[in-house]
Amino acid sequence: MSLIIEQAVKQLWEADNNKDPIAPLTEMYPNLTLEDAYAIQKQVQAWKLDSGSRVIGHKIGLTSKAMQNALGVPEPDFGSLFDDTLLPEGSFVDYQQFLQPKVEAELAFVMKHDLKGPGIHFHDVIRATDYIVPAFEIIDSRIRNWEIKIQDTIADNASYGALVLGSRGIPVDDLDLRTIGLVLEQNGEVIDTAAGAAVLGHPAAAVAWLCNKLAAFGEGLKAGDIVLSGSFTKAYEAKPGDVYTAHFGGVGRVQVGFKER
């Protein structure tokens, strides 16, 4: 492990544990590569596993063309989900457990079969999926003020914080995931609407991308894995007292609130 990777891992770990954001890694280490960033992510994950966390799946980020263009990248990124970050539907979570949280409304895929690339197509994902469930990803950044480039967010586990899953899973066989509509509410008021096609044209296409990307690391999806397929809308900042509700047409709803300690 290079000294830069070792230092970055320690800085991200301390930022998370102390709830004190750090300067962008790309500012401290201007020559940081994408390969370095994934290596940092992997090492932080290893420390989490050593501390008792368990990987329960993956998240996909930057699934919209607007976000990819904003960061100057041609494809999404990914990170890992951990068992101690899975929150029950309807939770009022402690705002102070995060640094600078935002919420994203997504569809979560729960895998029925193992799936490994390369060459995975979205039809393969549909066949390998047990069910989908409405979800909120609470994204968070250990980087101050979200001043991130692609290397920063990759190293920081794709800016992952926590996930909230709805209480009911729906089989995917008879659903057109492209046309599933979303109505997103903040404190009872509609703030955004979207459809599944906002996620790489098809949410299952995002999961297929992940399978093929993981193959480059010698990895794949496993039966039982949860996969957050990407946000239907932009991320919305969460503040103490906020309650967010996402209604997905034909799939159900999910809700999360934020409270002061």
Side-chain angles (χ1 to χ4, degrees):
M1 187 190 312
S2 74
L3 181 59
I4 287 176
I5 292 174
E6 185 177 344
Q7 290 174 333
V9 169
K10 183 178 180 182
Q11 289 168 308
L12 287 171
W13 183 263
E14 291 179 348
D16 191 35
N17 284 276
N18 298 331
K19 298 296 179 277
D20 186 15
I22 60 174
L25 297 177
T26 49
E27 182 180 297
M28 293 186 283
Y29 312 112
N31 296 322
L32 196 72
T33 66
L34 295 181
E35 291 75 17
D36 292 336
Y38 277 116
I40 292 166
Q41 179 190 128
K42 198 69 175 176
Q43 187 58 40
V44 174
Q45 175 182 308
W47 285 19
K48 286 183 179 291
L49 298 181
D50 288 344
S51 68
S53 298
R54 181 173 61 88
V55 174
I56 57 172
H58 304 270
K59 65 148 291 184
I60 308 166
L62 305 179
T63 51
S64 75
K65 287 298 182 184
M67 285 303 298
Q68 290 175 22
N69 291 340
L71 291 183
V73 294
E75 64 177 12
D77 67 351
F78 69 89
S80 296
L81 311 177
F82 299 96
D83 61 337
D84 50 6
T85 64
L86 175 59
L87 306 172
E89 201 278 331
S91 293
F92 274 81
V93 300
D94 178 5
Y95 182 84
Q96 271 72 35
Q97 77 182 75
F98 303 103
L99 289 84
Q100 39 195 350
K102 301 181 181 184
V103 297
E104 295 182 339
E106 312 191 14
L107 290 177
F109 289 66
V110 180
M111 306 310 296
K112 177 169 52 179
H113 304 302
D114 293 358
L115 195 63
K116 188 173 182 179
I120 297 298
H121 191 263
F122 78 90
H123 290 302
D124 302 310
V125 172
I126 297 296
R127 285 191 290 267
T129 298
D130 194 3
Y131 56 89
I132 59 172
V133 62
F136 273 122
E137 180 184 355
I138 302 173
I139 61 171
D140 203 7
S141 183
R142 273 51 61 175
I143 307 299
R144 69 183 182 204
N145 300 322
W146 286 93
E147 297 169 350
I148 56 174
K149 295 181 179 178
I150 183 62
Q151 296 95 325
D152 296 294
T153 186
I154 288 174
D156 192 20
N157 197 32
S159 301
Y160 174 69
L163 73 154
V164 183
L165 295 183
S167 57
R168 187 166 66 105
I170 301 294
V172 296
D173 299 352
D174 298 324
L175 295 174
D176 182 352
L177 300 184
R178 298 169 303 169
T179 59
I180 287 176
L182 164 70
V183 177
L184 180 62
E185 296 176 351
Q186 179 190 37
N187 303 326
E189 295 187 6
V190 175
I191 57 170
D192 214 337
T193 60
V199 182
L200 282 190
H202 194 298
V207 181
W209 172 87
L210 174 65
C211 286
N212 294 325
K213 189 70 174 181
L214 286 173
F217 296 85
E219 301 175 12
L221 300 180
K222 299 177 182 177
D225 275 356
I226 301 166
V227 181
L228 291 175
S229 57
S231 183
F232 279 43
T233 71
K234 71 174 187 178
Y236 284 88
E237 181 182 357
K239 301 179 294 297
D242 278 341
V243 177
Y244 281 91
T245 309
H247 304 268
F248 291 88
V251 178
R253 67 162 225 166
V254 62
Q255 187 175 78
V256 65
F258 295 84
K259 62 181 180 181
E260 290 277 16
R261 181 171 299 163

